[in-house]
Amino acid sequence: MSGAAYWLPVIWTVILAAAILIYVILDGFDLGIGMLFAVERDRGRRDVMVNTVAPVWDGNETWMILGGATLYGVFPGAYSTLLPALYLPILLMVLALIFRGVAFEFRIMTRDSGRSALWDLAFFGGSAIAAFCQGAILGGIIQGVSVTKGAFNGGPLDWLTPFSILCGLSVMCGYALLGACWLVWRTTGVLEASCRFWARRLAIGLFLGIIAVSLWTPMLHEPYLVRWTDWPNIVFVAPVPLLVMLLGFLFVRGLQREHPVTPFLCALGWFFLCFTGLGISIFPYMVPPSLTLWDVSSPPSSQAFQLVGTAILLPIILTYTIYSYRVFRGKVTEADAYH
């Protein structure tokens, strides 16, 4: 295998992983806010919750599009294998995101009618279903896809297992935690205090989910267990539990001392550590447990061509994202409105 044929898929894997992680971070607290509608019934405070993300939420899906385009253009073998294996959760996720986006706008447009509560329910439902489906998709990939001669040969419900359900519920809990911590940072008064209360409980749920998934994942396939215990991977794996505990200590301390941003940063740290553990588990497989990233990648010339375009567009997307969040920084109150 030539140098370009080896390294280009590795570079693209890093880009794909970065796009997915940024999407999870940015749209995670966005979806989490929608799920927190279940515990916040006051209409005014719900409006504040939405207004904290109203100026920036549209751009969060950019990273999902980048990830999908990368999978389609650079790893077509993975795209053609994973898509039929995960048709149902992907379709449900897309429909939920669309329904949620409509509800996001219609809940404001119907403020003075009797249908506003219905759109609030739709906003909650779309957020919860999308979050669960994303976790179930992740679980379906980790547990493996049945492949024969490079093509999916399983059934439409192969993804639906106790492990994928656990992943779906864990992601829901994690997104809700991100949403609560985001609102602790961006709101004041009663809403901020309520989010501190729920952040403590959601953190316990996420912590239990991390433990359960971490113990279950190495048991799914022998290569996963080897990567967690073999040298030199164990050097990178060993500090992860300690870092999770350290972030837990900082998280609790930040809530107790009413630090505005510390809980949110700790929650992001948990997601980063989980994502790192996932990468250690499945690398170099793009379609576990049989197809590596080199097996499913497009020709090097195609990858190089797309890399040039991405090198131009990626800084623009990053600049826009950072600028938009900077412009709309600070606390949001009921006096503020972005609709």
Side-chain angles (χ1 to χ4, degrees), residues 86-138:
L86 301 167
Y87 266 140
L88 287 179
I90 291 175
L91 180 61
L92 284 174
M93 179 191 70
V94 172
L95 291 175
L97 290 174
I98 293 172
F99 199 54
R100 175 180 174 275
V102 172
F104 191 97
E105 302 296 339
F106 272 57
R107 65 177 303 275
I108 300 297
M109 296 173 64
T110 58
R111 182 191 299 271
D112 299 325
S113 71
R115 297 188 299 274
S116 180
L118 178 62
W119 289 112
D120 280 355
L121 179 61
F123 185 63
F124 160 76
S127 300
I129 292 172
F132 176 80
C133 288
Q134 289 179 15
I137 290 169
L138 174 64

Side-chain angles (χ1 to χ4, degrees), residues 318-328:
L318 281 170
T319 301
Y320 160 77
T321 301
I322 294 171
Y323 178 74
S324 62
Y325 276 87
R326 177 173 174 77
V327 168
F328 295 101

Side-chain angles (χ1 to χ4, degrees), residues 259-338:
H259 291 170
V261 71
T262 299
F264 184 67
L265 294 178
C266 291
L268 293 183
W270 277 329
F271 269 82
F272 176 78
L273 290 174
C274 292
F275 198 76
T276 302
L278 169 64
I280 294 173
S281 297
I282 69 174
F283 186 84
Y285 293 104
M286 188 64 67
V287 183
S290 54
L291 300 178
T292 69
L293 56 99
W294 299 282
D295 295 328
V296 299
S297 60
S298 58
S301 58
S302 177
Q303 295 180 56
F305 177 78
Q306 293 176 78
L307 189 60
V308 173
T310 302
I312 297 172
L313 290 177
L314 197 56
I316 297 174
I317 299 173
L318 281 170
T319 301
Y320 160 77
T321 301
I322 294 171
Y323 178 74
S324 62
Y325 276 87
R326 177 173 174 77
V327 168
F328 295 101
R329 67 189 183 277
K331 295 283 188 177
V332 178
T333 67
E334 293 190 28
D336 301 310
Y338 296 113

Side-chain angles (χ1 to χ4, degrees), residues 48 52 182-189 191-192 195 331-332:
V48 173
T52 63
W182 169 262
L183 293 173
V184 166
W185 181 19
R186 298 296 307 278
T187 63
T188 60
L191 181 55
E192 180 185 359
C195 290
K331 295 283 188 177
V332 178

